[in-house]
Amino acid sequence: MTRIRMATALLVAGLSMATAANAAEVKSSFSNQNAPMTIAVFGDWPYNQLLLDNAGLLRHSVNSDHKVSLVMHVGDIHSGSQPCTSAEILPPIAASDPNWSRKVYFQFQQFNAPMIYIPGDNEWTDCHKTKEKASGNPLTELNAVRSLFFARPGHSLGRQDKPVMSQAQNFDPAFPTDKHYVENVMWMDNWVVFATFNMPGGSNNDTSAWTNGFDNATAQAQEVSERNGANLRWLKAAFDMARQKLARAVVIALQADMWDPEAIAQGGAGLNKYTTFVRALANYSVRFNKPVLLLNGDSHLYLQDQPLADPTSTTGQIHHTQAVPNLTRIVVQGSTNAPAEWLRLTIDPSKSQPFSWTNVPYCTDPNTSCQ
């Protein structure tokens, strides 16, 4: 416990496992201006070739809003019926498009503001499935995502470089496998702590066994155990930072809809694989006693709710937590649902309720007039 507390303290200070060369960059990921900020959030994009070909429509819609200081993608850069990259498979599986991820990466780099990306299940956990053309080993595909989108640990994507704290550089040495989670990042802006987590949708890579020649129950179980442990430690570090830095709010971003309405309609199958994380989030949020916002994608339909406010409600009974009235959740609209839109999130740290938002439609058809 002593080692864990010491590592967390170093993490909060922004220096844990950081080299002398990047210490200044880590420090610069802490900004405490008492001013509103605007963030563009979207996910489940691009889901088909048309959306990729016309990515400039979304990009222009976001870039033309000069108040946007950060762009965030909450997972899934292709549909659940598209193949993955066939990473390290030579020759690549015929149905795959190894260049797809590179093309998406190029689009991410065209956003004017810093860009934060969170991997989704379609990019790695589902690559073994027949519907994704049995196109890749989940662990190999995750490594391919990391090598492209997270090639510079501690830095954002986008035209403006934003230093962030990566778990790959800030981890408790008692848990050395946490260094693999370069995609888990954290920063503080305008008295708000932000933290992202590799939390894939469906069943958290737990109940859907790898198939089609990629079968490996031992490796899958190890992946789940190590990632869940890393996520829990990163979550604790985020709230420790929020408390010690006197943050006025916390924003948690991940892909999975841990209250997926489709899963609820089918009896909640797979959602229990998120319960440990949700219970920790509930406990930390209650102790923090200030506004907490959870952003996720995965289920494609825009939704705003307080899933843990009432333990007797449908959502409250999924994970059996205490009542958490200060936690708000937003599911961002998927790109293939009408209207196609991104979430314009404003955070004003001077207000007791700092979060406000609106959905901004953008064109998916280049022949349609776009405002």
Side-chain angles (χ1 to χ4, degrees), residues 48-119:
N48 52 45
Q49 190 65 49
L50 178 64
L51 286 167
L52 182 58
D53 290 344
N54 294 285
L57 298 172
L58 169 60
R59 190 177 66 245
H60 174 71
S61 180
V62 173
N63 284 348
S64 62
D65 188 336
H66 299 297
K67 289 186 177 181
V68 170
S69 60
L70 185 80
V71 181
M72 185 179 294
H73 186 297
V74 290
D76 280 0
I77 58 172
H78 63 73
S79 80
S81 59
Q82 283 181 271
C84 298
T85 66
S86 296
E88 297 183 15
I89 297 176
L90 295 174
I93 293 169
S96 70
D97 180 2
N99 289 318
W100 181 273
S101 295
R102 296 189 188 102
K103 293 173 184 175
V104 174
Y105 173 84
F106 173 80
Q107 296 301 331
F108 284 177
Q109 293 295 75
Q110 306 311 305
F111 284 99
N112 291 337
M115 170 81 191
I116 301 293
Y117 159 64
I118 303 164

Side-chain angles (χ1 to χ4, degrees), residues 11 75 119 126 133 174 190 194 207 213 215 217 239 319 324-325 351:
L11 175 61
D126 291 351
K133 316 301 187 247
N190 297 32
F194 297 79
T207 62
D215 319 46
F239 278 93
H319 301 292
V324 190
K351 295 182 177 179

Side-chain angles (χ1 to χ4, degrees), residues 32 188-194 238-250 288 290-291 349:
N32 281 339
M188 185 171 180
D189 278 336
N190 297 32
W191 298 100
V192 179
V193 168
F194 297 79
F239 278 93
D240 283 349
M241 179 191 293
R243 184 184 69 257
Q244 295 183 29
K245 295 290 184 178
L246 304 180
R248 296 170 186 173
V250 170
F288 181 57
K290 298 175 186 177

Side-chain angles (χ1 to χ4, degrees), residues 126-148:
D126 291 351
C127 295
H128 68 94
K129 295 182 178 180
T130 301
K131 68 176 185 175
E132 292 200 14
K133 316 301 187 247
S135 52
N137 179 309
L139 292 179
T140 306
E141 294 295 327
L142 178 56
N143 286 334
V145 167
R146 287 169 171 164
S147 66
L148 177 61

